[in-house]
Amino acid sequence: MRDRLSRMPEPAERVATAAASLGRRFTVEDLAALSGLSVPELLPPIRSLMQADLFTEFDGRLAFGHDLIRDAVRASVPTAVRRALDRRGADVLLARGALPVEVATAARGQRRTRRRSRHRRVWPTRRRSSALLIPQPRPSWLGKPWR
């Protein structure tokens, strides 16, 4: 992914990095506020990112094509820069009126918010409960005093 990003024009790489701090889906206005570019200046980088299948349009908003793309873009940035961008991204989202839950979801990465499978917890419970329900024979030494 780093090679793919490095082959993109520099403004497109910058826009992708800024967009990764806004969550998987984001508006052009939020991206403009975070990147410091106007909406007309964002058009060429967004167009090149869409042609490279890094961005898609979804329900009137822009989105990363996949969570792995967003994660790879975030991983290509040093941690200190990523944290600063995340803080600015949170400020942009809150200024727009987003709920704190939405901001937290965008900051954590929406991939991590999936529910765990219930089957991991059900199996041990079933095994224990079934062992309790099946009558077990009493050992012969149980109930006899020790000699």
Side-chain angles (χ1 to χ4, degrees), residues 2-37:
R2 287 182 185 170
D3 294 337
R4 198 169 167 191
L5 268 177
S6 65
R7 283 184 260 142
M8 301 295 295
E10 195 270 329
E13 185 178 353
R14 209 168 4 129
V15 166
T17 304
S21 294
L22 292 172
R24 181 152 187 237
R25 292 185 206 116
F26 47 91
T27 64
V28 177
E29 291 81 14
D30 291 343
L31 187 56
L34 182 60
S35 66
L37 300 172

Side-chain angles (χ1 to χ4, degrees), residues 24-53:
R24 181 152 187 237
R25 292 185 206 116
F26 47 91
T27 64
V28 177
E29 291 81 14
D30 291 343
L31 187 56
L34 182 60
S35 66
L37 300 172
S38 67
V39 174
E41 291 172 333
L42 283 174
L43 188 59
I46 289 173
R47 193 175 284 152
S48 63
L49 289 165
M50 289 181 83
Q51 287 173 351
D53 290 330

Side-chain angles (χ1 to χ4, degrees), residues 24-100:
R24 181 152 187 237
R25 292 185 206 116
F26 47 91
T27 64
V28 177
E29 291 81 14
D30 291 343
L31 187 56
L34 182 60
S35 66
L37 300 172
S38 67
V39 174
E41 291 172 333
L42 283 174
L43 188 59
I46 289 173
R47 193 175 284 152
S48 63
L49 289 165
M50 289 181 83
Q51 287 173 351
D53 290 330
L54 295 177
F55 282 2
T56 60
E57 190 172 6
F58 180 78
D59 202 23
R61 301 170 89 184
L62 293 175
F64 281 91
H66 197 278
D67 287 333
L68 294 175
I69 295 171
R70 179 178 179 254
D71 292 344
V73 170
R74 289 178 57 79
S76 69
V77 179
T79 305
V81 175
R82 185 172 55 234
R83 285 183 183 156
L85 283 171
D86 287 346
R87 282 192 293 272
R88 288 208 40 218
D91 290 342
V92 166
L93 293 173
L94 288 171
R96 150 172 84 77
L99 296 173

